[in-house]
C-alpha cells in the first residue's frame, strides 16, 4: 500500500502498523473518521452497542450518574427526571381544590375546581377518583354530594398526594304550586294573579296564562299560608263577568304545617 485508510466513525486505531480498526466499546463513541480513541458517553447518556458514532440521552424518568454508561436506571416511585438526567428529583406536586355544593340533594350540579398547581411540569392532568382516571380539564361539574379524592399528575407522571374534597348538598327549597281558576266557570285560568306565601320564609309569584303558579322559598321549619290576590284594576282584557267574579275573594288560601 502506498497510503493508509482512516478508521471510519465508531472505530479507532491507536497502534502503528494496524491492519484493522477496533470498534468503540459500549459506553463509548467516535463521531469522526481517523479516530485514535473513543470518547466516553457523558453522564445522562448511554451507548449499549459497540461501534457507536453517538450516545443516546436517557429517557424521561431514567438517569445515568456516571460517564461511559451502557444503560440508564429508572427513577423510583415518587421521583422523576427530564431526558438526559444524571439524577432523579422527588415529586412535589401541590394544588388547591375548591368545591361548589349541590344546590339541592339530587340536583347533580356540584363542582370541584382545581387551581394553583405547583411543584411539577405541565401540561397537567386531573382526577377526582384517586388517580384511576385522569382528564385534561381542571373543573369537574355535574357532581352529587360526596367525598372526592383529588389528585394531579404532571407531564413526567408525577402524582400528587390525594386530597379528600367534600361536596355537600344544600337544603332544597320549599316549592308551593297550584292552579287558580275563575269562579264563574271553574275552568279558565287566572293570569297574573299574585300568589303570596307567608311564613318563616316568605315569597311570592305570578300565575301564568293557565293559572298555574310555582313559588320557591328557602327551607325553614314552621307554618306557611298560601294566598292569591288579583287586582281587578288590571283587567288584562277580562270580561265584565270575570271582573265581577274577581271582586269576591279568590279561593285557594291554605295553611301548610
Amino acid at each position: 500500500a502506498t497510503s493508509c485508510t482512516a478508521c471510519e466513525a465508531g472505530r479507532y486505531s491507536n497502534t502503528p502498523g494496524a491492519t484493522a480498526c477496533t470498534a468503540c466499546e459500549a459506553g463509548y463513541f467516535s463521531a469522526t473518521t481517523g479516530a485514535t480513541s473513543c470518547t466516553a458517553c457523558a453522564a445522562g447518556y448511554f451507548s449499549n452497542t459497540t461501534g457507536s458514532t453517538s450516545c443516546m440521552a436517557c429517557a424521561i424518568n431514567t438517569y445515568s450518574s456516571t460517564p461511559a454508561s451502557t444503560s440508564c436506571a429508572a427513577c423510583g416511585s415518587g421521583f422523576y427526571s427530564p431526558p438526559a438526567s444524571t439524577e432523579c428529583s422527588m415529586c412535589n406536586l401541590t394544588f388547591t381544590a375548591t368545591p361548589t355544593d349541590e344546590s339541592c340533594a339530587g340536583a347533580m350540579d356540584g363542582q370541584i375546581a382545581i387551581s394553583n398547581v405547583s411543584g411539577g411540569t405541565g401540561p397537567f392532568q386531573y382526577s377526582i377518583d384517586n388517580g384511576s382516571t385522569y382528564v385534561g380539564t381542571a373543573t369537574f361539574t355535574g357532581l352529587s354530594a360526596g367525598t372526592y379524592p383529588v389528585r394531579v399528575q404532571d407531564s413526567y407522571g408525577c402524582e400528587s398526594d390525594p386530597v379528600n374534597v367534600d361536596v355537600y348538598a344544600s337544603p332544597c327549597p320549599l316549592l308551593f304550586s297550584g292552579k287558580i281558576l275563575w269562579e264563574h266557570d271553574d275552568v279558565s285560568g287566572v293570569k297574573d294573579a299574585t300568589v303570596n306565601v307567608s311564613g318563616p320564609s316568605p315569597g311570592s309569584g305570578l300565575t301564568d296564562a293557565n293559572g298555574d303558579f310555582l313559588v320557591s322559598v328557602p327551607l325553614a321549619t314552621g307554618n306557611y299560608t298560601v294566598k292569591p290576590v288579583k287586582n281587578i284594576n288590571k283587567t288584562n282584557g277580562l270580561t265584565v263577568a270575570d271582573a265581577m267574579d274577581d271582586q269576591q275573594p279568590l279561593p285557594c288560601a291554605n295553611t301548610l304545617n
Side-chain angles (χ1 to χ4, degrees), residues 27-43:
Y28 292 79
F29 76 102
S30 169
T32 60
T33 60
T36 57
S37 65
C38 296
T39 304
C41 295

Side-chain angles (χ1 to χ4, degrees), residues 69-176:
S69 293
T70 59
S71 63
C72 299
C75 296
S77 177
F79 290 81
Y80 75 99
S81 68
S85 289
T86 60
E87 62 181 2
C88 298
S89 302
M90 182 178 292
C91 295
N92 189 31
L93 276 170
T94 61
F95 61 90
T96 300
T98 304
T100 299
D101 292 340
E102 227 183 347
S103 62
C104 172
M108 298 289 290
D109 58 0
Q111 295 187 22
I112 294 177
I114 303 171
S115 60
N116 301 324
V117 180
S118 63
T121 303
F124 298 103
Q125 298 281 310
Y126 310 91
S127 171
I128 59 171
D129 58 7
N130 200 29
S132 295
T133 304
Y134 280 100
V135 297
T137 304
T139 299
F140 295 84
T141 60
L143 303 180
S144 60
T147 299
Y148 296 85
V150 179
R151 303 186 82 164
V152 176
Q153 184 181 68
D154 75 356
S155 60
Y156 290 118
C158 273
E159 286 186 302
S160 69
D161 291 330
V163 175
N164 287 331
V165 178
D166 293 319
V167 174
Y168 297 101
S170 300
C172 295
L174 289 174
L175 300 177
F176 298 90

